[in-house]
């Protein structure tokens, strides 16, 4: 037996296997996921495993390594989040998200830091040796909402899109603020005296860290898109580039002390559009599948490790400090959301309701990022107290808040996400309105969201697409692109469901049949290919809308009309209109 | 700048990126791949990079770590090979493959070892200190044909299926023999005296190492199949299990000093059938795609590293020894193939031709496995000589033989692989013949290949499928299964090509049309679902055969008949026959 030789890969594989099996077990009983969030259960499994390891070895189980967390477990989750980020609601609410992420986080850091310092002055608690700087440092790591925890809980409760993007976007973008404040306070703790210069430098760093991350991410994203131009003959390694470039963007950003999370999100959002157009359909399925798989496993491992690391003798249980930490985290977040939303609502027509504000405040879950940061603290006397407080805050938010948020959403009747995808008609209207609003903004001289969006779209179709896309001939009309996308999606669904015949496809069959000879005549009279193409698109889409639209119809009962009837009707209509 | 923090993942990512970009560059010019095999070019890139590193640092570039090779680079390639192994030709030729792999490799080891010992006795070469055991040890590592190198070259030359499986199967299965002989001679080198007992123990080990590997692999493969029964609600982690279990089988086998390669092949071949039935279509695409991607990158990295590691001062250039090694490798392999094939041809009707024998002998490429094994040798005086000889043999076989084998195949007019996939008709005939032969063997009391195959199939449908498959109702007829497989494949092709309409699928259209009203009547008279099902299958398949079969037809010119004509004709025929 030669265990040592294979130890490293063997143990990693076993951990991943455990995580995957835990996931299967969790989904095996349908009742469980509807009561307890997955994250709670995974932490619970981790706690049990930690207890077993502790009981057997009689020493603390190994703590989750911060390096492993930041270098290997976090990037897949953030990549997945960035790649599948719904870009429209994100950019529509970018101002509000940034306000919550930047101002809100700073508010929380200083609020929690100063009030905990006040608690430390109470003699009965015996905490006088914890300085203000240490309290602020602790505040900086405990204030940030965790994207992993937020994703895990919010994915299951299906609140409306805007609410979701507000909480989730905040949790992702506050990384830049957390990185800066944490490193700032850490270096302040080690400095003998602090000059006012240092504080100004710290403020300047916000912009460097955040915008630098965006720049690094976009650079790698564009390079990735450009690389996939040349993979036509070797489709099989296409998915690799998506992963390699986004990981490189994360690592490069971390290397220069920029925000890796911001970088990888910028990279993923930047490249998605072009990569999707360049790579084959199978490659894209692989990319999507593997991203989901990877992030899902990382997520599981993080929660299990969180549980395992909780057990042990790393904690100093000073209960007043710990309890006040939990209370201040809740209070300052609630206050922050209230105050910031007050200003946001004054500027916008589409306001954030009171219920939504409550869910935003209540959904401020803490997770593995705080946990890793607290272990990265330099050794000092009260480190164990901070570890204990962080652990309790995480467990409190994930267990108590995570488990009660779903009943609360039901109780308050918070607006839910619409289940059905938007119809083609709706999508066309949205696009039309975008153009209209861009025009209005242009005429009125107001450089708003739509104006910039239009300019960006122009820049994209004029320059970027020519460089980054392989099959770039002429800018196709966006309605054709949209149609192609829907068509492809539908084809895959059909293939999956196995409802596909070996026979010739629909149009060729129609052409060869006597009953629809009108179609043939039509084609003879209208030779230009483009027109035929558009007609085909419209004919099919109209039919599709009827099916996916509301079932109510003044003349027919739902399900009465046959699909063929639709097609015929469209043909007749088309014929008449000419 | 904090490079050290991200160094490990950053450098790994950069190496993989280099490998991928090299692959893209190689395929960018279409002429290149048709002249030079990819492996040669990659080694060449590696040589250049090694030269640059050597020139800059003035010391030998880092040598490929044997651990990295055996634990991380080799498994993906072998998994890919095992998973996509064409099982029918493999099992049909299993006897011949095993003969080449076991007896052939032993023949080569002892042939090369003893003749090199003879060379060492020539005083002029100054090699008298190389003992017989050391020569045999060297023979054991240099004799084995390398699967990675063979795959890389044979994938490009498209020889006939039997020839391909003979060379490729041998290169995979000789691992067990190589492992045993290498470890045996290594331990003999360190022993003071060798007892005859040890030699017998060594012979016994062959069976333990080989069969143990098969057992470990099958155990993990069945567990994997069983696990995928329960992944219905969490499709996204399905692909993971394929990778995790096969990797675990490899590591476990290595841990117990069994053949990891044999284990992973047994695991992949064992689980493929059941996993494919249990997991979703998208998961399966991801599995296939990722396997290909991973093995392709590993393969690239191996050849680049091979080039990099060649440069340096690890070599002792004793040219007589090196030249004779190359000559003996060629001569003994050629002799071995001739002798073994003589016996094989006496037992089989379907003999191996002289041309095929030449290609088998000439295709015995050496690669990275030898290279890693020679670096794993314990330190002794002549290790650098062995390294030099191995390097030259690898470069000679990959460059000279690898580059000339394609012209030789053209020159000798070796039978090529048929390009088109077998038609359904052919497949049905093959299956029918299998059953017939199994019956004949059973009656005549001859327990041959078909007898065992039939028994295994029985065992599979009676027990294994019930345990391992999720949706197991009744054993479907194999023709239905085959049809379903073809149907699915066709659907994906259609979806990829975008030839799919939104309209109703083919059969529903037919039913609602007046011209094919006969079809409806037919269905009314023949109610049972099963019959209708079979008819549909036959109707479609017959039509399909006509299209993919030879274009010649006594009554029609090729391309004259329309697809719909076919369908109608089939319907009329069916109607008459009832």
């Amino acid at each position: 037996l030669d265990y040592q030789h294979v130890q490293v890969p063997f143990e990693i594989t076993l951990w991943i296997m455990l995580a995957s099996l835990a996931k299967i077990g969790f989904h095996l009983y349908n009742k469980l996921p509807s009561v307890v969030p997955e994250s709670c259960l995974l932490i619970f499994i981790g706690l049990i495993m930690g207890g077993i390891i502790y009981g057997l070895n009689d020493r603390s189980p190994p703590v989750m390594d911060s390096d492993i967390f930041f270098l290997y477990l976090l990037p897949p989750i953030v990549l997945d989040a960035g790649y599948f980020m719904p870009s429209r609601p994100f950019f529509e609410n970018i101002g509000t998200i940034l306000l919550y992420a930047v101002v809100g986080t700073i508010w929380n850091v200083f609020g929690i830091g100063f009030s905990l310092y006040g608690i430390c002055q109470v003699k009965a608690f015996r905490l006088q040796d914890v300085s203000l700087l240490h309290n602020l440092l602790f505040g900086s790591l405990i204030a940030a909402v965790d994207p992993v925890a937020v994703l895990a809980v919010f994915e299951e409760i299906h609140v409306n899109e805007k609410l979701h993007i507000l909480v989730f976007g905040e949790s992702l973008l506050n990384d830049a603020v957390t990185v800066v404040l944490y490193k700032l306070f850490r270096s302040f703790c080690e400095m003998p005296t602090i000059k006012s210069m240092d504080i100004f430098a710290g403020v300047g760093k916000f912009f460097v860290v955040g915008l630098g991350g965006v720049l690094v991410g976009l650079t790698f994203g564009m390079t990735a898109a450009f690389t996939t131009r040349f993979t036509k003959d070797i489709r099989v390694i296409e998915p690799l580039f998506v992963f390699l470039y986004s990981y490189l963007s994360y690592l490069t950003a971390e290397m220069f002390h920029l925000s890796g999370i911001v970088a990888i999100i910028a990279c993923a959002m930047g490249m998605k559009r072009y990569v999707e157009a360049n790579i084959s359909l199978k490659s894209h399925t692989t990319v999507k599948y593997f991203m989901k798989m990877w992030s899902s496993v990382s997520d599981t491992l993080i929660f299990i490790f969180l549980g395992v690391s909780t057990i042990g003798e790393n904690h100093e249980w000073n209960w007043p400090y710990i309890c006040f930490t939990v209370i201040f985290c809740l209070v300052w977040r609630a206050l922050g959301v209230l105050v910031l939303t007050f200003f946001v609502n004054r500027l916008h027509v589409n306001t954030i309701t009171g219920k939504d504000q409550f869910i935003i405040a209540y959904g401020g879950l803490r997770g593995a990022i705080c946990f890793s940061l607290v272990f990265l603290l330099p050794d000092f006397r009260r480190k164990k107290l901070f570890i204990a407080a962080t652990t309790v805050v995480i467990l409190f938010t994930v267990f108590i808040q995570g488990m009660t948020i779903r009943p609360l959403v039901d109780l308050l009747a918070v607006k839910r996400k619409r289940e059905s995808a938007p119809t083609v008609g709706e999508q066309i209207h949205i696009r039309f309105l975008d153009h209209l609003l861009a025009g209005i903004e242009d005429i009125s001289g107001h450089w708003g969201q739509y104006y910039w969006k239009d300019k960006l779209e122009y820049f994209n179709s004029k320059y970027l697409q020519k460089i980054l896309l392989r099959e770039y001939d002429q800018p196709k009309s966006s309605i054709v692109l949209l149609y192609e996308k829907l068509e492809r999606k539908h084809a895959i669904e059909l293939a999956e469901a196995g409802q596909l015949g070996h026979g010739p496809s629909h149009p060729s069959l129609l052409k060869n049949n006597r009953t629809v000879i009108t179609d043939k005549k039509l084609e003879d009279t209208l030779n230009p290919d483009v027109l035929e193409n558009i007609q085909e698109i419209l004919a099919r889409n109209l039919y599709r809308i009827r099916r996916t639209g509301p079932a109510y119809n003044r003349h027919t009962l739902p399900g009465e009309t046959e699909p063929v009837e639709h097609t015929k009707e469209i043909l007749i209509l088309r014929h008449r209109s000419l």
Side-chain angles (χ1 to χ4, degrees), chain A:
Chain A
L1 190 79
D2 182 11
Y3 181 60
Q4 216 170 349
H5 177 58
V6 298
Q7 189 180 9
V8 178
F10 198 75
E11 286 182 1
I12 292 172
T13 316
L14 279 185
W15 272 112
I16 299 175
M17 184 73 96
L18 173 78
S20 318
L21 291 178
K23 259 194 138 63
I24 288 188
F26 178 70
H27 283 274
L28 218 54
Y29 298 99
N30 287 327
K31 277 186 188 170
L32 211 56
S34 61
V35 180
V36 193
E38 199 177 316
S39 44
C40 297
L41 218 88
L42 292 170
I43 292 184
F44 194 70
I45 291 174
L47 286 173
I48 293 171
M49 287 205 52
I52 293 170
I53 297 173
Y54 188 52
L56 290 177
N57 293 2
D58 210 23
R59 61 190 172 81
S60 302
V63 163
M64 171 159 61
D65 191 324
S66 298
D67 260 6
I68 291 179
F69 173 75
F70 282 112
L71 291 182
Y72 305 108
L73 294 176
L74 189 58
I77 299 176
V78 181
L79 174 63
D80 178 66
Y83 199 83
F84 294 100
M85 174 89 80
S87 57
R88 203 185 158 81
F90 179 75
F91 285 112
E92 266 173 6
N93 297 299
I94 185 84
T96 317
I97 291 171
L98 279 176
L99 194 73
Y100 283 142
V102 178
V103 183
T105 308
I106 295 175
W107 164 287
N108 276 318
V109 170
F110 285 97
I112 296 170
F114 279 111
S115 21
L116 280 177
Y117 183 62
I119 295 299
C120 290
Q121 303 314 310
V122 180
K123 278 192 180 165
F125 298 155
R126 281 185 250 156
L127 287 160
Q128 280 105 324
D129 60 319
V130 186
S131 68
L132 176 62
L133 260 180
H134 275 128
N135 272 316
L136 284 172
L137 178 57
F138 180 62
S140 76
L141 68 89
I142 204 76
V145 173
D146 188 80
V148 183
V150 165
L151 255 184
V153 166
F154 273 72
E155 260 181 5
E156 293 176 11
I157 59 175
H158 305 292
V159 292
N160 64 71
E161 209 172 31
K162 186 175 177 184
L163 184 51
H164 184 257
I165 204 76
L166 285 181
V167 182
F168 179 47
E170 180 206 337
S171 71
L172 283 174
L173 296 190
N174 66 21
D175 178 61
V177 180
T178 310
V179 168
V180 172
L181 286 182
Y182 178 78
K183 286 189 179 154
L184 201 70
F185 290 131
R186 236 183 90 167
S187 55
F188 282 179
C189 282
E190 283 156 9
M191 273 188 223
T193 55
I194 300 155
K195 293 171 194 158
S196 55
M197 264 300 289
D198 295 324
I199 295 169
F200 281 112
V203 174
K205 258 197 166 177
F206 277 125
F207 297 97
V208 176
V209 168
L211 294 180
V214 172
L215 204 74
V216 168
L218 283 182
T219 312
F220 277 98
M222 292 302 117
T223 320
F226 187 68
T227 309
T228 51
R229 264 191 81 157
F230 303 103
T231 51
K232 202 181 175 183
D233 296 319
I234 180 147
R235 292 284 192 198
V236 96
I237 57 168
E238 279 175 341
L240 204 62
F241 286 108
V242 175
F243 297 108
L244 285 180
Y245 278 109
S246 36
Y247 193 43
L248 274 184
S249 78
Y250 181 84
L251 293 177
T252 311
E254 288 284 305
M255 197 158 72
F256 292 106
H257 295 289
L258 306 172
S259 166
I261 293 184
V262 171
I264 206 168
I265 287 173
C267 178
M269 290 181 82
M271 76 175 153
K272 189 187 179 188
R273 190 170 173 174
Y274 307 105
V275 166
E276 223 170 289
N278 279 337
I279 69 179
S280 84
L281 201 68
K282 276 191 188 171
S283 297
H284 197 229
T285 305
T286 308
V287 167
K288 287 194 288 186
Y289 229 78
F290 222 78
M291 229 174 240
K292 284 274 170 231
M293 191 175 96
W294 219 328
S295 72
S296 152
V297 169
S298 276
D299 178 279
T300 314
L301 280 176
I302 287 173
F303 285 116
I304 290 181
F305 278 139
L306 211 58
V308 172
S309 313
T310 306
I311 305 286
E313 286 151 1
N314 295 315
H315 309 284
E316 182 194 335
W317 300 109
N318 183 316
W319 283 107
Y321 191 84
I322 292 170
C323 292
F324 275 107
T325 307
V326 174
I327 293 167
F328 288 142
C329 280
L330 290 174
V331 170
W332 282 104
R333 180 161 177 86
L335 280 178
V337 170
L338 277 178
V339 173
L340 291 176
T341 315
F342 174 74
F343 289 109
V344 169
N345 278 349
R346 289 192 62 170
L347 289 169
H348 284 78
V349 184
N350 193 0
T351 58
I352 300 165
T353 64
K355 284 175 191 172
D356 285 2
Q357 287 175 44
F358 176 76
I359 297 297
I360 293 173
Y362 202 73
L365 307 183
R366 268 68 163 183
I369 291 187
C370 313
F371 198 78
S372 303
L373 286 178
V374 82
F375 274 98
L376 277 180
L377 284 180
D379 275 326
F380 69 101
R381 248 196 82 217
R382 293 293 193 161
K383 188 176 172 183
K384 288 190 172 181
L385 171 64
F386 285 179
I387 293 176
T390 310
T391 308
V392 171
V393 169
I394 293 171
L395 293 185
F396 180 86
T397 54
V398 172
F399 274 85
I400 310 290
Q401 292 178 221
M403 282 170 74
T404 51
I405 199 165
R406 193 204 297 255
L408 279 172
V409 165
D410 289 338
L411 199 74
L412 293 173
V414 173
K415 212 177 140 200
R416 294 301 183 92
K417 202 166 75 181
R418 51 179 292 180
E419 287 302 314
S420 61
T423 60
V424 176
E426 278 174 317
Q427 295 205 23
I428 292 170
H429 280 296
I430 291 170
R431 267 157 207 262
F432 170 68
L433 274 175
D434 279 0
H435 282 291
L436 195 69
L437 283 166
I440 292 171
E441 281 186 352
D442 203 11
I443 291 166
S444 65
H446 172 69
W447 289 358
Q449 187 187 341
Y450 294 99
Y451 174 81
W452 286 114
K453 205 175 158 188
D454 201 56
K455 282 273 171 266
L456 200 68
E457 202 54 53
Y458 177 76
F459 177 71
N460 171 50
S461 65
K462 183 116 187 185
Y463 304 104
L464 282 181
Q465 287 196 344
K466 277 183 198 163
I467 302 167
L468 301 178
L469 293 188
R470 177 169 42 225
E471 283 161 10
Y472 180 78
D473 300 322
Q474 283 178 333
K476 276 185 188 171
S477 155
S478 62
I479 190 174
V480 177
L481 286 174
L482 181 69
Y483 166 69
E484 278 178 3
K485 201 173 155 189
L486 283 170
E487 177 83 330
R488 219 183 298 145
K489 205 174 146 194
H490 177 68
I492 296 166
E493 280 168 13
L494 268 188
E496 276 251 289
Q499 293 172 356
L500 197 73
H502 269 301
S505 67
H506 170 199
S508 63
L509 242 184
L510 278 176
K511 278 179 208 156
N512 287 295
N513 241 314
R514 262 170 248 148
T515 48
V516 280
I517 208 117
T518 48
D519 192 33
K520 223 170 181 175
K521 271 187 192 160
L522 203 82
E523 270 163 19
D524 289 341
T525 49
L526 270 173
N527 249 347
D529 279 355
V530 186
L531 249 176
E532 187 191 332
N533 201 13
I534 290 169
Q535 277 173 359
E536 215 175 11
I537 291 160
L538 284 175
R540 287 187 191 165
N541 280 336
L542 281 172
Y543 156 62
R544 186 149 173 81
I545 288 168
R546 288 209 192 193
R547 289 240 296 196
T548 55
Y552 174 70
N553 186 314
R554 212 150 51 87
H555 302 296
T556 56
L557 287 168
E560 197 195 36
T561 50
E562 294 275 330
V564 171
E565 235 61 30
H566 276 314
T567 325
K568 269 190 207 161
E569 204 176 319
I570 292 158
L571 287 170
I572 293 162
L573 275 174
R574 220 205 291 172
H575 190 58
R576 269 188 207 152
S577 70
L578 287 157

